[in-house]
Amino acid sequence: MMLNFLDALRTAGIPAGIKEHLLLLEALDRDVIAWKPEEFYYLARATYVKDEGLLDRFDQVFARVFKGVLGGEEVKADIPEEWLRLVAEKYLSPEEMEKIQSLGSWNEIMETLKKRLEEQKERHQGGSKWIGTGGTSPFGHGGYNPEGVRIGGESRHKRAIKVWEKREFQNLDNDKELGTRNIKVALRRLRRFAREGAASELDLDETIRGTARQGWLDIRMRPERHNAVKLLLFFDVGGSMDPFISLCEELFSAATSEFKNMEFFYFHNCLYEGVWKDNRRRFSERIPTWDILHKYGHDYKVILVGDASMSPYEIAHPGGSVEHMNDEAGSVWMSRLLHTYPAAVWLNPLPRAHWDYSQSTRMIREIMSDRMYPLTIEGIDAAMRELTRKR
């Protein structure tokens, strides 16, 4: 099985060799981990994978070879599971939806949820007050309310201001084959070539001139010419961004090949106090946003990729994040990012015609000083022109 695992990794394009394979076997022989599937997974991943962009491919190969031996821990709420099973769904007309009013502010919604949890003793469905399925209650899933807390189930109307469930996000694959080279061509507008570092290539012109001047072979070397632009790339992942995974992978793949001085990070909906590089460990291995602002210089360019579709509370209100209790509003962190990196743009995979229908999109555009562009060839081209503009 171990040799089959190695062959499968190589077939998937992961550069795993005999050296790594023997290292893994030696670690197992010395009992460096407990004999648990999860610990074996992390040991194998640390041994074989040297590039974050290959993590998702490794996960797929591991699951296929070991046939799901690894089991993840489930996160369960204190609400009985049978309450959350969708038995009936109530379909409402647009006119009926307009008549349903929100409970009010973010604080009022969360306080009401706390009271419902204390008062409710049984399963409920199809109503307008209790936690349940269907209906127009602001708590539960499968129904409709302009603002509420989704507990379990799948998102249908993208209206929740909080989500109570364990959600798995997928890492982007930087080796995704592009359907077109046009994204690379558009990104090439963001270029500033320089020769820096060790002299590693032959300077033919100087070698000829030096040889003619000296009378003997005078070999001259020079540093390799490369794109000196430094880039920070932030990807919104999960939720409403799931339909755009393929498009984001194409952008990620093109950017990885075009920019040697590039760092990427993930966030969800809006930038907050922490970002991450591995979606499987987005809660346990977060990178403080302050560290990024202090580590990378002001000369870095910034590209944020996301649909900007979220509850306005996530941008304007402390504690508004759907996944955690943030002490400061998303707008505060966005302002800090833009103050540190004046050359920044936002790429939106949604068509431009849809932007005016979303309050959160309008808010992000205002924070970005209207530097939001559609994630199309023309949009990327315009964004690169903006990033190269002198300030």
Side-chain angles (χ1 to χ4, degrees), residues 156-343:
R156 295 177 181 272
H157 300 287
K158 314 298 182 185
R159 297 281 186 164
I161 65 172
K162 279 285 186 184
V163 177
W164 192 348
E165 66 168 347
K166 179 180 180 179
R167 299 197 290 175
E168 298 295 342
F169 298 161
Q170 179 178 330
N171 291 328
L172 299 182
D173 187 345
N174 69 350
D175 200 38
K176 174 76 174 181
E177 288 296 328
L178 295 178
T180 174
R181 295 182 66 252
N182 289 341
I183 294 181
K184 285 187 178 182
V185 173
L187 289 174
R188 285 173 186 168
R189 290 195 176 276
L190 189 60
R191 279 182 167 183
R192 187 179 72 250
F193 286 107
R195 296 190 182 277
E196 300 174 346
S200 59
E201 69 176 22
L202 177 67
D203 189 337
L204 184 59
D205 292 338
E206 284 300 318
T207 297
I208 293 174
R209 278 192 288 267
T211 300
R213 185 169 54 251
Q214 301 291 344
W216 62 78
L217 182 60
D218 184 14
I219 297 178
R220 301 292 180 91
M221 304 295 289
R222 64 184 179 184
E224 183 181 357
R225 183 171 180 261
H226 63 276
N227 189 0
V229 169
K230 301 174 182 177
L231 181 66
L232 295 178
L233 194 55
F234 294 86
F235 282 100
D236 177 10
V237 292
S240 58
M241 283 296 293
D242 285 346
F244 308 111
I245 287 178
S246 179
L247 181 59
C248 288
E249 283 184 330
E250 291 182 359
L251 175 64
F252 185 35
S253 178
T256 301
S257 63
E258 288 297 320
F259 302 102
K260 302 305 179 184
N261 297 317
M262 187 195 85
E263 292 289 340
F264 74 93
F265 304 95
Y266 296 118
F267 68 99
H268 183 55
N269 286 350
C270 191
L271 192 70
Y272 295 111
E273 68 278 3
V275 294
W276 57 94
K277 295 182 77 73
D278 185 353
N279 282 306
R280 279 182 168 270
R281 306 183 72 82
R282 68 184 188 277
F283 293 115
S284 59
E285 295 181 1
R286 291 213 172 198
I287 303 170
T289 306
W290 272 125
D291 289 358
I292 294 174
L293 300 182
H294 292 146
K295 179 178 180 179
Y296 302 102
H298 300 283
D299 56 336
Y300 271 79
K301 315 288 187 182
V302 170
I303 299 177
L304 299 107
V305 183
D307 60 0
S309 299
M310 67 195 91
S311 166
Y313 295 118
E314 297 190 59
I315 303 171
H317 202 292
S321 168
V322 296
E323 291 200 316
H324 75 291
M325 297 300 294
N326 50 301
D327 294 333
E328 295 179 294
S331 59
V332 174
W333 287 103
M334 287 293 299
S335 298
R336 288 171 179 158
L337 180 75
L338 298 178
H339 177 74
T340 304
Y341 307 107

Side-chain angles (χ1 to χ4, degrees), residues 31-75:
D31 293 331
V32 298
I33 61 171
W35 290 92
K36 296 180 180 179
E38 183 176 356
E39 295 202 17
F40 171 69
Y41 161 80
Y42 287 116
L43 175 62
R45 195 179 76 171
T47 304
Y48 287 124
V49 181
K50 305 299 189 295
D51 184 352
E52 296 97 331
L54 301 175
L55 290 174
D56 186 59
R57 253 183 291 171
F58 176 85
D59 291 345
Q60 295 176 27
V61 173
F62 188 91
R64 184 171 65 253
V65 172
F66 295 100
K67 302 186 188 307
V69 170
L70 180 66
E73 296 181 0
E74 293 296 326
V75 175

